[in-house]
Amino acid sequence: ALGTLVAPPVSPVLAVGAAPMVLGAMSFTSAGIAASSIAAKMMSAAAIANGGGVAAGGLVATLQSAGAAGLSVTSKILLGLTGSGVQGLS
């Protein structure tokens, strides 16, 4: 039988603060996406799924934009609210 998956509490401040570090670790950076990285694998899968290109506004494009330019105020608010929602579930 499968056990119940419970998300650990996530502070909104921690979620917003960790986002740039996580994006960088995945290789979504201002220098672009590094070969053989998690980001490169995601980009490849997205390109295959979209017939050869990465869709503007898609997950990979959005993560690369955030990694290159940083998170906008709106993104920080949404990430903080998401962190609050996950914390409320635990």
Side-chain angles (χ1 to χ4, degrees):
L2 295 175
T4 302
L5 178 62
V6 177
V10 176
S11 160
V13 174
L14 179 63
V16 172
M21 184 173 52
V22 172
L23 289 171
M26 293 174 68
S27 190
F28 290 108
T29 68
S30 59
I33 294 175
S36 300
S37 65
I38 293 170
K41 291 174 183 156
M42 290 176 67
M43 186 175 183
S44 175
I48 290 168
N50 290 308
V54 175
L59 178 63
V60 174
T62 301
L63 292 175
Q64 178 53 37
S65 178
L71 296 174
S72 67
V73 172
T74 303
S75 296
K76 289 178 181 178
I77 291 169
L78 290 173
L79 189 56
L81 291 173
T82 301
S84 296
V86 170
Q87 185 174 14
L89 293 174
S90 56

